[in-house]
Amino acid sequence: MKIAMCATEVVPFAKTGGLADVAGALPLALEKLGEEVIVIMPYYRTVKNMKQVKIEKLKEDVFYSVIGKGVKVYFLDNPGYFDRDNLYSEKTGDYPDNLDRFSYYSRRALNLLKEIKFKADILHCHDWQSALVPVYLKARYSRDPFYKDMKTVFTIHNIGYQGLFKQEEFPKLDLNWELFNMEALEYYGKINVLKGGLVFSDVINTVSSTYSREIQTKEFGFGLEGVLNKRRDSVFGIINGLDYDIWNPAKDRFIAKTFNAKSIADKAKNKEDLQKLSKLPLKKDVPLFGIVSRLAQQKGFDIIAEGIDEICRMKVQMVILGTGDQKYHDILEQMVRKYPKVISLHMKFDDALAHKIYAGSDIFLMPSHYEPCGLGQMISLRYGTIPLVFKTGGLADTVTGKNGFVFDQYNKEDLISTIKKAVSAYKDAAKWGRLIAAGMACNFSWDASGKEYIALYKKAKAK
Ligand code: ADP
């Protein structure tokens, strides 16, 4: 199959979130599985300034680079739109011309396909920034034989970001006003770009199967649950893969001692290292909880904050790495002053320390209130660190009673009682060993998810 990935951020060129990881890794997995893939993204300033990759000029406004063996990544150049400090926003908020920028990107991407004669079977689009691709394809391009048979797959990475714009901006899209209605791009008097993607694409998916069901409910749908519900037969979920080259305890250059499932005893050296650098007592028999996260309500910090005093009074240790909301910074700092031998706080973004926490902790705490996919729990499983999660989204799909601890009522009491359960299980070495073994045996590689995407593309082709 010929697949064109339309994504506005792609690792290693530009990244603000998980979408970039997927858009960078999935094409490589698909290439390994024998598919023909190209990627199309804007030529941002960060890409222009990259020294370590080779970028070549294709034509006046198109450049390209190669990832993997032969996946071409095309960069669409428009200095007025993309030669800026950031991708989507500045300090004062979103760039005011985002609708111009990403409608331009979507049309230019479609035109490029014909110019390079890439007659794609599938256009795989991601999030609101490329959601106009399926809209333009159906509304403007499908009469052209070159585009007629192309199908679209649309992936939602976080339904909270929808690309909402004022009605007055609609003429910029150069689409018939008929499309400004409730069944298409209108949402309560505004333009909702994401909604356009959901209505016009052939197949919709999101980054875990549970999240694909959750976004069809009022609690998690951010107002688009009705639209998704109407299309429920075309909504699917595929868990993101993990980059096993980066997250591998047997080869990790950041950690004190590498280990694998067979040499799990060496994990203890990483615990000791983590305790040392976190200035916690060097105790082997006290369970060490790790957190690597944005300090945000979405990640469960409201119930953590409510319960933290009680948790610190248990026989545990806790290392937290993260930045985020000031109110959680304040609460956690207060706890560090109160319980300096129990809790250690690192308020920064630090990749090396993140690796050390995944490797050195016994339990990984990730009680997110909602979680489209989540990486932290998958990384910790790989490092023999038992995840403790709230049953939602990708957490529900990857963590079970066999490899971790799961609670299903989102409140402080259930969080605390599950932590107590984990602390007591930790005392039973044989049981703990079984949990570790089950976690380390899980496979969240891109190979597995790549195969699922191919099956999804086939479904789209059959539409
Ligand atoms: P989200 O993308 O919603 O923040 P994920 O669990 O999908 O959450 O991914 C978060 C990723 O960012 C993980 O790989 C995690 O290790 C990393 N991360 C989060 N905060 C930090 C931090 N302060 N320092 C280093 N890595 C971090």
Side-chain angles (χ1 to χ4, degrees):
M1 260 183 297
K2 283 178 146 127
I3 300 140
M5 200 68 71
C6 301
T8 57
E9 48 185 281
V10 180
V11 164
F13 305 106
K15 170 169 173 169
T16 70
L19 152 63
D21 293 308
V22 176
L26 176 59
L28 304 183
L30 293 170
E31 182 186 48
K32 272 192 205 146
L33 293 165
E35 306 298 339
E36 193 181 343
V37 193
I38 62 165
V39 183
I40 308 176
M41 67 175 285
Y43 199 27
Y44 297 113
R45 183 177 294 170
T46 53
V47 186
K48 278 186 186 170
N49 292 342
M50 280 180 100
K51 301 246 156 37
Q52 64 278 34
V53 293
K54 198 166 137 202
I55 294 176
E56 304 207 47
K57 187 168 180 165
L58 180 75
K59 50 165 68 189
E60 202 46 40
D61 68 335
V62 183
F63 294 76
Y64 71 93
S65 184
V66 175
I67 56 173
K69 281 216 176 84
V71 175
K72 276 197 177 151
V73 181
Y74 292 93
F75 306 108
L76 307 179
D77 193 20
N78 182 324
Y81 287 156
F82 303 128
D83 191 1
R84 300 185 185 182
D85 284 339
N86 303 306
L87 272 51
Y88 313 126
S89 58
E90 53 200 336
K91 274 208 183 92
T92 47
D94 287 348
Y95 287 128
D97 57 349
N98 271 349
L99 190 65
D100 306 75
R101 299 172 75 223
F102 293 104
S103 58
Y104 168 82
Y105 161 80
S106 303
R107 279 178 283 184
R108 189 68 194 88
L110 281 164
N111 291 336
L112 178 70
L113 294 174
K114 197 167 182 179
E115 289 161 19
I116 59 172
K117 299 191 180 68
F118 191 85
K119 200 168 179 178
D121 297 292
I122 300 292
L123 304 181
H124 186 171
C125 308
H126 302 260
D127 280 354
W128 79 261
Q129 292 89 342
S130 60
L132 288 168
V133 171
V135 179
Y136 284 122
L137 181 70
K138 285 250 164 77
R140 299 275 299 273
Y141 289 71
S142 59
R143 263 161 280 145
D144 181 331
F146 182 81
Y147 295 95
K148 183 170 81 34
D149 297 323
M150 293 188 187
K151 303 291 180 192
T152 45
V153 170
F154 186 77
T155 300
I156 305 164
H157 296 264
N158 188 335
I159 202 161
Y161 301 92
Q162 302 184 351
L164 291 170
F165 299 91
K166 288 197 185 109
Q167 176 176 354
E168 294 81 80
E169 293 197 65
F170 194 78
K172 290 177 176 176
L173 296 178
D174 199 14
L175 287 167
N176 196 317
W177 267 105
E178 276 174 16
L179 292 181
F180 190 75
N181 78 68
M182 261 176 58
E183 302 299 321
L185 284 156
E186 189 207 340
Y187 181 81
Y188 294 103
K190 287 189 166 170
I191 307 166
N192 186 322
V193 177
L194 184 75
K195 184 177 171 186
L198 301 183
V199 171
F200 285 89
S201 52
D202 294 296
V203 162
I204 301 165
N205 89 304
T206 181
V207 288
S208 68
S209 149
T210 298
Y211 191 61
S212 77
R213 291 188 296 275
E214 287 173 343
I215 54 176
Q216 296 182 50
T217 66
K218 199 160 187 290
E219 192 182 354
F220 297 102
F222 283 88
L224 290 180
E225 57 276 7
V227 180
L228 286 161
N229 232 295
K230 265 196 190 151
R231 298 216 53 202
R232 61 181 169 275
D233 292 341
S234 303
V235 180
F236 301 89
I238 298 177
I239 199 88
N240 287 339
L242 192 62
D243 190 331
Y244 276 1
D245 292 330
I246 297 174
W247 300 108
N248 180 357
K251 289 200 179 131
D252 194 321
R253 62 193 169 88
F254 293 117
I255 65 178
K257 176 88 185 160
T258 54
F259 61 96
N260 60 29
K262 284 189 190 122
S263 58
I264 191 71
D266 286 340
K267 186 172 163 65
K269 302 211 174 65
N270 293 299
K271 179 170 180 177
E272 195 184 316
D273 178 55
L274 184 59
Q275 286 169 326
K276 264 189 206 152
L277 71 89
S278 301
K279 303 193 171 60
L280 293 173
L282 303 182
K283 288 188 179 162
K284 284 197 178 118
D285 53 343
V286 174
L288 175 53
F289 285 76
I291 295 182
V292 181
S293 177
R294 291 185 280 119
L295 306 185
Q297 195 253 334
Q298 186 214 325
K299 296 291 178 182
F301 278 90
D302 50 350
I303 54 174
I304 292 176
E306 274 179 60
I308 190 76
D309 203 295
E310 200 175 335
I311 298 168
C312 287
R313 278 182 269 125
M314 298 179 198
K315 267 205 169 133
V316 298
Q317 292 183 337
M318 187 175 282
V319 177
I320 303 177
L321 168 63
T323 55
D325 297 356
Q326 190 59 43
K327 83 171 167 198
Y328 299 127
H329 285 204
D330 296 344
I331 295 168
L332 294 173
E333 277 182 329
Q334 200 189 336
M335 287 299 119
V336 173
R337 285 194 292 274
K338 196 167 168 187
Y339 304 103
K341 288 191 175 152
V342 176
I343 177 167
S344 168
L345 189 57
H346 306 267
M347 280 191 295
K348 56 181 173 178
F349 194 95
D350 185 336
D351 196 32
L353 182 55
H355 282 251
K356 286 172 182 287
I357 293 176
Y358 287 115
S361 307
D362 297 301
I363 299 155
F364 190 74
L365 197 57
M366 192 168 174
S368 306
H369 188 212
Y370 77 90
E371 193 62 79
C373 173
L375 283 176
Q377 85 283 13
M378 292 195 266
I379 301 172
S380 69
L381 285 166
R382 187 98 212 274
Y383 281 73
T385 301
I386 311 303
L388 190 161
V389 304
F390 175 57
K391 192 174 179 182
T392 186
L395 299 175
D397 291 356
T398 51
V399 184
T400 63
K402 286 211 172 76
N403 61 9
F405 298 93
V406 186
F407 63 105
D408 61 7
Q409 296 296 317
Y410 190 78
N411 58 52
K412 178 201 92 174
E413 287 71 29
D414 284 55
L415 170 67
I416 297 277
S417 67
T418 313
I419 289 179
K420 284 184 179 156
K421 222 163 106 186
V423 170
S424 115
Y426 180 75
K427 292 179 191 144
D428 182 341
K431 186 173 179 179
W432 202 255
R434 282 197 297 278
L435 277 171
I436 290 179
M440 292 184 87
C442 293
N443 178 7
F444 301 114
S445 69
W446 267 112
D447 284 354
S449 298
K451 283 183 190 145
E452 287 194 50
Y453 269 103
I454 292 174
L456 189 69
Y457 297 153
K458 286 187 179 151
K459 278 197 185 111
K461 256 190 98 169
K463 290 253 172 189

